Amino acid sequence: MMKLAYVALGANLGDRERTLSEALSRLGGMPGIRVERVSAMYETAPVGYTDQPNFINMAAALATSLPPLGLLRELLALELAMGRVREFRWGPRIIDLDLLLYEDETLQTDELTLPHPRMGERAFVLAPLRDVWTPGEVFPWEAQIAPAALEREGIRRLGPDSEPRGPKEGESHAEDRQCGDE
């Protein structure tokens, strides 16, 4: 049975847009993972260590047959395959993939905490997450991403090519499998 998971994607080194598109394409090609919806791209100022380039952040809604730890391990393996190097906390990165939510599950292990422990404090995560939130469901963090908050935190939605994507009316999700290949 497929489960719904939400993933945050970010990059601030190299060709950020291309890297994020490649990550989405690779995610969609993995066994047990189907990309359902993809957010717009948002340019954001770095948090923590600020002497680095701006990030581009996105989110994706995934349907997956993998359990939470299995999905996390696939995300980490993809980061490594794409050249992610972890030099220090909040440092620059070619790609960053974070598992935010997995259905309604809560989990606390050395390897994974669900929901992601700091996502509700991070407008740069919440703005793209709202783009891919299940249609018709209330988005619980609406107040944290009011326009004034996004402006204050330097979060800017990028151009028309980065509008949220998902299956069009009448299309199946399978037709949207490779969202990053558009």
Side-chain angles (χ1 to χ4, degrees), residues 11-29:
N12 76 333
L13 296 177
D15 186 340
R16 302 168 301 170
E17 294 92 341
R18 183 180 174 111
T19 297
L20 294 172
S21 292
E22 180 182 342
L24 286 165
S25 180
R26 288 188 185 196
L27 273 172

Side-chain angles (χ1 to χ4, degrees), residues 144-176:
Q144 287 93 322
I145 54 172
L150 297 180
E151 186 176 329
R152 183 176 54 252
E153 293 190 33
I155 298 170
R156 184 174 62 91
R157 186 181 183 128
L158 298 181
D161 292 333
S162 66
E163 292 301 311
R165 297 185 296 245
K168 306 242 186 315
E169 193 70 35
E171 289 181 344
S172 74
H173 293 291
E175 291 166 323
D176 193 53

Side-chain angles (χ1 to χ4, degrees), residues 2 9 68-69 71 74-75 79 95 138 146 159 166 168 170 182:
M2 300 296 267
L9 302 90
L69 281 171
L71 179 57
E74 289 295 326
L75 295 175
E79 284 182 344
I95 187 69
V138 174
K168 306 242 186 315
E182 297 176 346

